Amino acid sequence: MVDVTTQINAVQRTVGTRTWQAGEVRVVTVSRSYPTDAADLWDACTNKERIPRWFLPITGDLAVGGRYQFEGHVGGGVLSCDPPHTFTATWENGGQVSWIELRIIAEGPEAARLELDHIAPTDDEEFWAQYGPSAVGMGWDGLLLGLGIHTSTGQAIDPSFGPEWIVSDEGRLFNRESGEAWCAADIASGTDPEQARAASARCIAAYVGADENE
């Protein structure tokens, strides 16, 4: 059983913009504290043998200049790596390129925080207007949940858990609450509330396979 509301509330979410490579980009940021030390959290996020225990199988080279590929999902290239603090890489999917910046921050001997910026170009205004930050943010919420289960139990997650759980009532509730949380972050960033709610509803509908007005 997953305490959905507790898991959703454990994540801090922000939406904004910044200058990146001489242009303006959108930045979707997630942040969450985990019950382990910084070295262990870094290892969970960057060790190819360990990542599949909470996310997906991964191939390639996670050293600077190397390329990686998640099975059936995104791939990219490693831009920088400063263990156990920061890691940056491209995030490539369907011909679209964005970037991720991972930071691990020690919060004590038995606590560490993950902060991640997902940085995307502003050239697809139509897609952003349609779905808003939920389009990437809801996916990151799912990853942070998997990492939370792994770091709190020390166990690998059964590969069948995710696909089965996400279509369960509990999984659908998680996606609804995730979309609503990203809607709140979108409004806090200055987006018109009506526009933010409409975009979030469309994204939730895409995730849960239900009518967005349900």
Side-chain angles (χ1 to χ4, degrees), residues 52 80 214:
S80 70
E214 181 183 341

Side-chain angles (χ1 to χ4, degrees), residues 90-103:
T90 60
W91 192 258
E92 305 171 21
N93 188 27
Q96 301 296 314
V97 179
S98 53
W99 303 268
I100 58 169
E101 287 188 351
L102 170 72
R103 297 177 293 277

Side-chain angles (χ1 to χ4, degrees), residues 38-201:
D40 182 65
L41 185 57
W42 173 266
D43 185 70
C45 294
T46 60
N47 184 331
K48 284 201 312 177
E49 302 303 316
R50 193 169 172 189
I51 291 170
R53 300 178 193 172
W54 58 272
F55 185 37
L56 291 170
I58 183 173
T59 56
D61 182 3
L62 293 182
V64 175
R67 291 192 61 81
Y68 68 91
Q69 179 66 52
F70 285 107
E71 184 177 285
H73 197 39
V74 303
V78 179
L79 303 176
S80 70
C81 183
D82 178 22
H85 306 294
T86 61
F87 180 92
T88 66
T90 60
W91 192 258
E92 305 171 21
N93 188 27
Q96 301 296 314
V97 179
S98 53
W99 303 268
I100 58 169
E101 287 188 351
L102 170 72
R103 297 177 293 277
I104 302 297
I105 302 165
E107 295 186 323
E110 298 181 357
R113 178 168 295 276
L114 177 153
E115 290 184 351
L116 185 138
D117 293 340
H118 189 138
I119 303 161
T122 58
D123 54 2
D124 196 347
E125 295 294 334
E126 182 178 347
F127 183 83
W128 184 265
Q130 186 80 358
Y131 295 109
S134 297
V136 295
M138 290 174 67
W140 285 113
D141 278 350
L143 267 70
L144 297 189
L145 170 63
L147 182 58
I149 294 172
H150 172 62
T151 55
S152 63
T153 66
Q155 301 299 312
I157 299 174
D158 189 310
S160 67
F161 170 78
E164 294 175 358
W165 182 78
I166 208 67
V167 296
S168 69
D169 289 344
E170 193 174 77
R172 286 162 60 86
L173 176 62
F174 179 86
N175 275 326
R176 288 187 181 282
E177 291 199 8
S178 171
E180 291 166 1
W182 281 107
C183 177
D186 198 16
I187 293 170
S189 76
T191 300
D192 175 75
E194 184 176 349
Q195 177 183 335
R197 285 190 287 269
S200 175

